Amino acid sequence: MQQDMIVILDLGSKENTLIARDIRALGVYTEIHPHDISAEALAALPNVKGIILNGGPNRVVDGAAIDAGSAVYESGIPLLAVDHSAKKADASLKSWPADEAGRREAERAFVFDTCKAQANWNMENFIADQIELIRQQVGDKKVLLALSGGVDSSVVAALLIRAIGDQLTCVHVNHGLLRKGEPEQVVEVFRNQLGANLIYVDAVDRFLDKLAGVADPEAKRKIIGAEFIRVFEEEARKLGGSAEGGIEFLGQGTIYPDIVESGTKTAKMVKSHHNVGGLPEDLKFELVEPLKMLFKDEVRACGVALGLPDSMVYRQPFPGPGLGVRCLGAITRDRLEALREADAILRDEFDKAGLRGKVWQYFTVVPDFKSTGVRDNARCFEWPVIIRAVNTVDAMTATVEQVAWPVLLKITDRILADVKGVNRVLYDLSPKPVATIEWE
Ligand code: XMP
């Protein structure tokens, strides 16, 4: 690893991630570590040029003030202490300047003037380093990857293909709840363009049969999750688990926020992350997680650098249960098709209006009731399509996008003309809270 690093010690401040991102934006690599990092762990980190002790109101845990261990103070590495009565820091700041420009200048001065770090963090170096690390970890063994077609799994796949070529096997499970064109795109990009070993599993009937008649949203989620693991496990067994001398590694699209959010010593567990959790005990894999130090925008930049199409890299977030939680109540095939078609029209019109990448998440929902309409001079009784478009930072709260009226009318015209079984289009005006982003 060639690049210089600034270490941010976690004393419980919510700003750690912001600072880590700011400094990476200056071209210098950063990592966030626990405040009580040991001398050995600190010494094992390559090219550490500076340490930031970021305090703040959360640095008191269970009534006691927490501080970095002596390893940090004795390391001889330049320190910047913010909102923290550091014992003997070389450089210290009482608090971050209130404005963003001031904060960035303080970070810049510390990183370049005090630490003399080089701005050598970039995607090209990251990819080169990771290729080397993956090859060291995997040797001549095989790696299995569940490739959903989402941003993270797609970028991991592209990186692993670069690093180990056909030692990688990707499994794409089509559960019938993906958006229009997605399974085809995965096959086209990974099998045809990148030459990957790709196993395409058509599990559409299997999933839809299991879901038939199930109306409760949580029951639907459980079925989809459990069935996915079952299908993936079957494929893994066919390829031979580690016990049979087959595949020993499992690639995963874990990214840095997953790790930061899973809780450090000072923060409560925000949520526990499990990507392909739930695989049975006897299928033991060692994980390969080359994106685990990247933020989402860096994962996208990595995907672009590896040649993935924009439509894959700049996808909006899509829930694991997919269209299954947007086809409300008990899923039927005809209503699912109406949903998929309406969603494709919505995405197409948002693209044409330049809204892709600007609106955080937008999709359609089809409820399981019908209303009266007139079609070809006759009464018709058909489903409505609900459009939802929201903006958010962390998905905990969300505001409604004020989509221009002509865009909505165009989408409505197309849905009413082309989507079978739909006679009404509605726009959901509800912020989160009280409404959640998804309807189920
Ligand atoms: P809600 O509906 O809770 O959604 O406001 C917040 C964000 O989470 C996504 N979401 C899910 N993602 N599995 C997922 O992987 C799920 O079961 C699930 N439910 C909601 C939702 O799309 C939104 O981005």
Side-chain angles (χ1 to χ4, degrees), residues 221 317-321 325-326 360-361 363 395-396 432 435-440:
R221 274 196 175 76
F318 188 59
V325 290
R326 297 174 180 171
W360 196 79
Q361 203 172 14
F363 53 89
M396 303 297 281
K432 175 180 179 176
T436 50
I437 294 176
E438 302 290 346
W439 272 55
E440 286 192 335

Side-chain angles (χ1 to χ4, degrees), residues 245-261:
I247 293 182
E248 293 185 18
F249 294 89
L250 190 68
Q252 281 220 64
T254 314
I255 70 172
Y256 206 34
D258 299 341
I259 291 175
V260 176
E261 284 174 21

